[in-house]
């Protein structure tokens, strides 16, 4: 039986902070992609997705994943309604790129980086939307 993910409580102010970080990471990812820095763009896109997930889970569930395994956030996103489902769909595609972008010597293809940046942008848009309603 799988253990439930470790979590931490999230306040409305923290939801807004996570959403702001998600937007900043997504903007930086887009800038790096434009400059041809595909590894950095992909890594930043992943961090945008993770912060988006924290914002959505915080807004919808009052908590975020706090374990070392980033995949645990997918469980929480599944409980966070339609916004969680939307971010989860994109994050599920971003997380497998983390090891390749951050720890392995291989390059990231521009097409892969571009898709990652688009997913990050979509995640950040959801985070921005939910943060605007966080109280």
């Amino acid at each position: 039986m799988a253990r439930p993910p470790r979590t931490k409580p999230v306040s409305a102010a923290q939801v807004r902070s996570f959403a702001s970080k998600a937007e900043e990471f997504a903007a930086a990812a887009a800038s790096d992609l434009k400059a041809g820095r595909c590894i950095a763009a992909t890594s930043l896109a992943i961090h945008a997705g993770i912060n988006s997930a924290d914002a959505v889970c915080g807004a919808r569930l009052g908590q975020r994943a706090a374990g070392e395994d980033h995949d645990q956030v997918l469980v929480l996103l599944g409980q966070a309604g339609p916004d969680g489902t939307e971010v989860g769909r994109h994050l599920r595609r971003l997380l497998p790129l983390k090891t390749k972008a951050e720890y392995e010597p291989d390059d990231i293809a521009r097409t892969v980086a571009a898709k990652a940046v688009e997913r990050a942008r979509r995640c950040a848009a959801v985070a921005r939307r939910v943060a605007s309603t966080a109280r």
Side-chain angles (χ1 to χ4, degrees):
M1 184 165 76
R3 291 186 322 193
R6 283 189 28 223
T7 62
K8 286 187 178 179
V10 177
S11 69
Q14 290 170 320
V15 167
R16 290 186 291 276
S17 179
F18 285 126
S20 177
K21 287 173 68 173
E23 288 185 289
E24 187 172 328
F25 279 126
S31 177
D32 275 354
L33 179 65
K34 185 176 179 180
R37 294 185 293 268
C38 296
I39 293 170
T42 302
S43 183
L44 291 164
I46 294 161
H47 289 286
I50 292 167
N51 277 275
S52 296
D54 289 344
V56 169
C57 289
R60 300 296 182 239
L61 304 173
Q63 60 185 348
R64 67 175 179 88
E68 290 184 22
D69 181 0
H70 288 297
D71 289 336
Q72 290 181 348
V73 73
L74 298 172
V75 173
L76 287 179
L77 285 167
Q79 300 167 11
D83 296 318
T85 300
E86 184 174 353
V87 170
R89 185 179 68 234
H90 298 298
L91 190 58
R92 193 174 310 284
R93 303 294 295 274
L94 288 169
L95 288 175
L97 298 172
K98 187 169 178 27
T99 298
K100 183 174 183 181
E102 296 181 4
Y103 304 112
E104 294 185 3
D106 303 328
D107 286 333
I108 302 286
R110 182 169 181 79
T111 56
V112 171
K115 287 178 185 175
V117 169
E118 178 57 24
R119 287 184 180 104
R121 188 191 64 73
R122 290 174 187 227
C123 287
V126 174
R128 179 183 332 108
R129 185 175 68 238
V130 301
S132 71
T133 64
R135 307 234 180 277

